[in-house]
Every structure is written in structure tokens, then in C-alpha cells.
Amino acid sequence: MLTRAPTRRRLTRGLAALLVLLSAAAASGTVGAADTTTADGDDIVILHEGDRLVLEAAEAQVVRGETTLDAGTELTVRIRSAHGADAPFLESRTTEVDEYGTFEATFDLSGQEVDTAFTASAYGDDLSSEDVDGRLVSCADCDASSTRTTLPPADEASVEPVVRVRRTNTARIPVTYGDADRLTLVVGGEDVNYEAVVTVRDGDGDGRTTVRFDTADAGSDSQAMHVRDDQVVTHSQTTLGSTLDPGDYPMRLYLGSDTDGEPVDVGTLSVVDVPELTSTSTPETTPETEARTETVTETSSRSLSTVPRGVSSLLGGVGALVAGGLLAVLGIGLLLGVFRT
């Protein structure tokens, strides 16, 4: 017995060490198989060709992007001159996501210096894009650039020709006052069984405003049209029994508060319907499909032991852990059995 005790202790320590090594190896295999890293794409992305965004030092420069945010979500697109620019500038425009998950904002960069580096970004709904490096280049056709802008001149009373909005979202309708300090915008009419009338005043004197038409409040007791920087003088609308129907609604712009006579400008508000999600139907089960299912299940069971290493890495890790534990228990049992005899 005196000669067996040290041997038993040495064997026990060796078996314990083996158990630790087997468990560590199995655990390492399991973690390696289960450690899968997923990298979600950006929720807001500025689109550009090449390694940078190139814009002209001119009017009507469009920054486009795409996003996973819902249509109608308001975004702010910003262009900031890079550090060290001779003439620093910061330009921002507000836009919204369209039904295709894209957005765009138009900038007037005609007053900026050529070859100025900048960064472009977009943010909204507590999300933001990564900064995109860009550079201003000389205008290729400056004589025609003024005709490409979507902003009407402020010295003429006008309304945006076409505005599209998804039903239940808010449309943004740019208007300019011209020489007037008040304008009246009429959306709809008798032909479409809905009409909203708003008179606004140029409170800040910049000659422009954006009328926000909330289609969710159209026909309700709430006010459907608002402005931020200017003042709403009067507002009225037709009462509807349900939400505004999709369709094209005429827009008419009048000087002052009087809607008699001919409008100074016209446009169209196009309200599009919210697309419905299509449900995925479950295929009907037939004896033939049941037979195919049983065959696949049986084949998968037979092939489990020969699954390729790349496919069964997770199973291999878990199996190594279980096998290590069983070997350790078996070794302890054998050791104790030997010394009992």
C-alpha cells in the first residue's frame, strides 16, 4: 500500500490534467464553430461613383442615396467643406425617402470655389450615414445649369409642378411669393371630391416657403397644411369619412387671399397608395410531397456522420466537448476500478 499511494496520486494528477486539456480543446472547438460575426449594412448610404463624390461648383447638384428606412422618413443631407478649406461652407437640405428606398437632395454650389474638398452625409430617425469624401470640380456647362435646378426663382410666384407622396405621409410643396406677401394654395377640387385651402404669409421675407400637406389629417378635424418659417393665415378643407384616396390632386396658387380668377401657377399632388405586403401561402401537402420529405429526412440521418468538415464545424465542437467529458469520466472509473482490485 505504501508503494501504491504515490502512484495513485501521480495517475490521478495526470488524468486530471488530461481532463482539463480535453475540455479546453473541446470548448475551443465549440467557440470557434459558434462564433459567427454578422455585419449589418448601413441604414443610410450616400451613393457615388469611384472613390469619391464629385460635384460641380454650380447649381442643381444632386446628392443621392439609399436607405432601409420607411418611405416618407425625413432625412437631412449635409455637405461640409473639409478642414483647411480656403472658403469654408456648410450646406444642408431636407428630403424624404421615396417608395423605392432612395432619396435625393439638390444643392446650389455655384458660389463655392472649384477644387474644394468636402464631406457629404445624411441623417434622420436617429441614424446617420458614414461621411463620404468629395471634391468640387469646374462646371462643365454653367450656361445651362440654371435650367436644371428644381427650385423656382424667388421673384416669381410659383408652386412645384409635381409633388409625390405616399398616402398617410406628409408631402412637401415648395412655393415662392414673387412680389406678394401672401399666397393661397388650393389642393384638390370638386372633380376629386376633396379640397383644402391654405393662405400663408411671408413672415421671414425670404420669398419662399414649403407647405407641408399631411395626408393623414386630410379630411379630418385637424389642420392638414402647415408651414414652419412663415404664418398660416387661414385654413379650410373638405370633411372626409376615411383617409385620402390615392390619385392626382390639382394644385392652384393664387396671389393674396382671393381664389377668384385665374391662378398664377398650377401643379399636381400625386398621392400613391401604400403597397400591401403579400402573404406567403403554405403549399398543400400531398402523399408525393410527404414521400419526398421522408426520403430527405432519411438521407440526412444516414449522411450525418459524413457531413463535410466545413458544414459540421459546430457539431464537431459540441461533439468534442461531450467526448472529452465521457473520456474523463471513463478514465476516472477505470482508474478507481484498477486500484480497488
Side-chain angles (χ1 to χ4, degrees):
M1 296 297 293
L2 293 177
T3 59
R4 288 186 178 181
T7 302
R8 176 181 298 182
R9 286 195 295 272
R10 286 196 298 271
L11 290 175
T12 302
R13 286 196 296 270
L15 186 58
L18 178 61
L19 174 60
V20 172
L21 291 174
L22 289 173
S23 299
S28 177
T30 304
V31 172
D35 185 15
T36 57
T37 303
T38 58
D40 294 335
D42 292 333
D43 291 303
I44 306 175
V45 177
I46 300 292
L47 301 177
H48 60 94
E49 297 181 0
D51 58 352
R52 66 180 58 192
L53 175 62
V54 178
L55 298 176
E56 295 180 348
E59 298 179 356
Q61 298 304 295
V62 180
V63 177
R64 296 180 173 84
E66 61 184 15
T67 178
T68 57
L69 296 174
D70 294 336
T73 301
E74 184 176 286
L75 298 178
T76 298
V77 181
R78 185 178 66 181
I79 299 178
R80 180 196 294 271
S81 57
H83 179 71
D86 293 336
F89 67 88
L90 173 62
E91 299 281 347
S92 64
R93 297 289 185 271
T94 302
T95 183
E96 69 175 26
V97 182
D98 64 20
E99 58 184 323
Y100 304 105
T102 61
F103 61 90
E104 64 179 40
T106 303
F107 293 84
D108 180 3
L109 302 176
S110 58
Q112 309 306 331
E113 294 186 2
V114 174
D115 205 32
T116 300
F118 65 85
T119 58
S121 61
Y123 58 92
D125 199 26
D126 297 328
L127 298 173
S128 61
S129 69
E130 293 185 355
D131 289 344
V132 173
D133 294 332
R135 183 167 294 277
L136 294 179
V137 298
S138 59
C139 179
D141 189 7
C142 286
D143 293 337
S145 62
S146 60
T147 63
R148 297 196 300 265
T149 180
T150 59
L151 294 175
D155 57 352
E156 298 178 5
S158 61
V159 62
E160 186 76 7
V162 178
V163 176
R164 289 173 57 86
V165 64
R166 181 176 290 188
R167 187 167 64 155
T168 73
N169 288 341
T170 300
R172 290 163 178 79
I173 309 171
V175 298
T176 54
Y177 289 87
D179 296 332
D181 63 349
R182 291 192 183 190
L183 293 175
T184 298
L185 177 65
V186 180
V187 177
E190 295 181 358
D191 295 340
V192 292
N193 298 321
Y194 172 77
E195 184 177 83
V197 182
V198 63
T199 299
V200 295
R201 185 178 67 85
D202 189 7
D204 55 9
D206 65 349
R208 300 178 183 274
T209 193
T210 298
V211 178
R212 296 171 178 264
F213 180 79
D214 191 346
T215 61
D217 289 333
S220 69
D221 295 334
S222 301
Q223 184 172 315
M225 291 196 282
H226 312 263
V227 291
R228 285 188 174 178
D229 299 329
D230 293 342
Q231 176 187 356
V232 173
V233 180
T234 60
H235 176 275
S236 63
Q237 65 172 333
T238 305
T239 302
L240 298 175
S242 60
T243 56
L244 190 67
D245 290 333
D248 291 335
Y249 294 82
M251 297 188 299
R252 303 181 299 280
L253 187 67
Y254 298 86
L255 298 177
S257 304
D258 191 1
T259 57
D260 294 336
E262 294 295 324
V264 294
D265 200 12
V266 295
T268 301
L269 174 65
S270 181
V271 181
V272 297
D273 202 359
V274 180
E276 297 181 0
L277 296 178
T278 58
S279 59
T280 304
S281 58
T282 304
E284 183 180 357
T285 303
T286 63
E288 182 179 356
T289 57
E290 289 180 352
R292 285 200 300 268
T293 303
E294 292 176 358
T295 302
V296 171
T297 303
E298 182 180 358
T299 303
S300 301
S301 301
R302 289 200 307 266
S303 304
L304 184 59
S305 61
T306 59
V307 174
R309 176 180 171 182
V311 179
S312 60
S313 57
L314 178 61
L315 295 176
V318 176
L321 178 61
V322 175
L326 291 177
L327 287 174
V329 174
L330 179 60
I332 294 173
L334 290 174
L335 181 62
L336 294 177
V338 168
F339 286 111
R340 286 196 185 118
T341 59

